[in-house]
Amino acid sequence: MTIPAPVTLEELFTLYESRGYRKYGEGVNALEHALQCAALAFKDGATQELIAAALFHDVGWFLTIGGDSDDVVPVSGDHAALGARILSPLFGPEVAQPVALHVLAKRWRCTIDPDYFDELSEASQITFVAQGGTLNTDERSRFEVHPGFNAAMALRSWDDRAKTPGLDVPPLEEYRSLALHVATSWTMSRRFAAG
Ligand SMILES: [Fe+2]
């Protein structure tokens, strides 16, 4: 089953509404995971761009999960690159970049902190290998000096914790104005840059 990538905010929200019921694999569904992640970002005082990144970081996964099977878990790091490609034209790099890097952030953390791997959920441990496993010295050094390192690590920490069954968090509708604001700011900044 092919799901078209959303190209407008409306389509993005519709995708979340229509595919959010899918199991994330850890006692929460995909939408619950996204909403918990955004709520954690908000609680930590993150920028609006990072809250949007938290909400939409798995958008690529919404498209790559196939068929109507109810019990699929994410299998690769590709959903990060796909998500960034979808979010970049809508929201710009401050949203797209942490999304692009959130799988690399997990691989980095597993590389420098073996205890972190043990603390990951079972599904996250399974996907770790498919996502490329630990980083080599070169990959590790390059990531550590990347300008998006801190934002990616923050997103990773919310992502890891956003898996509490039954947690009461604000619904998707409450993020519409935030998403519109971030998208409008990005569009305006591009227009001004173009002169
Ligand atoms: Fe996630």
Side-chain angles (χ1 to χ4, degrees), residues 24 33 57-58 159:
Y24 187 76
H33 171 64
H57 74 278
D58 279 335
D159 191 6

Side-chain angles (χ1 to χ4, degrees), residues 1-3 5 33 49 52 61 70 84 94 112 124 128 132 136-137 161 171 179 181:
M1 178 168 147
T2 307
I3 305 160
H33 171 64
E49 284 78 6
W61 181 68
D70 211 16
E94 285 185 58
I112 59 123
S124 209
F128 173 69
N136 64 34
T137 312
R161 288 183 283 145
H181 176 77

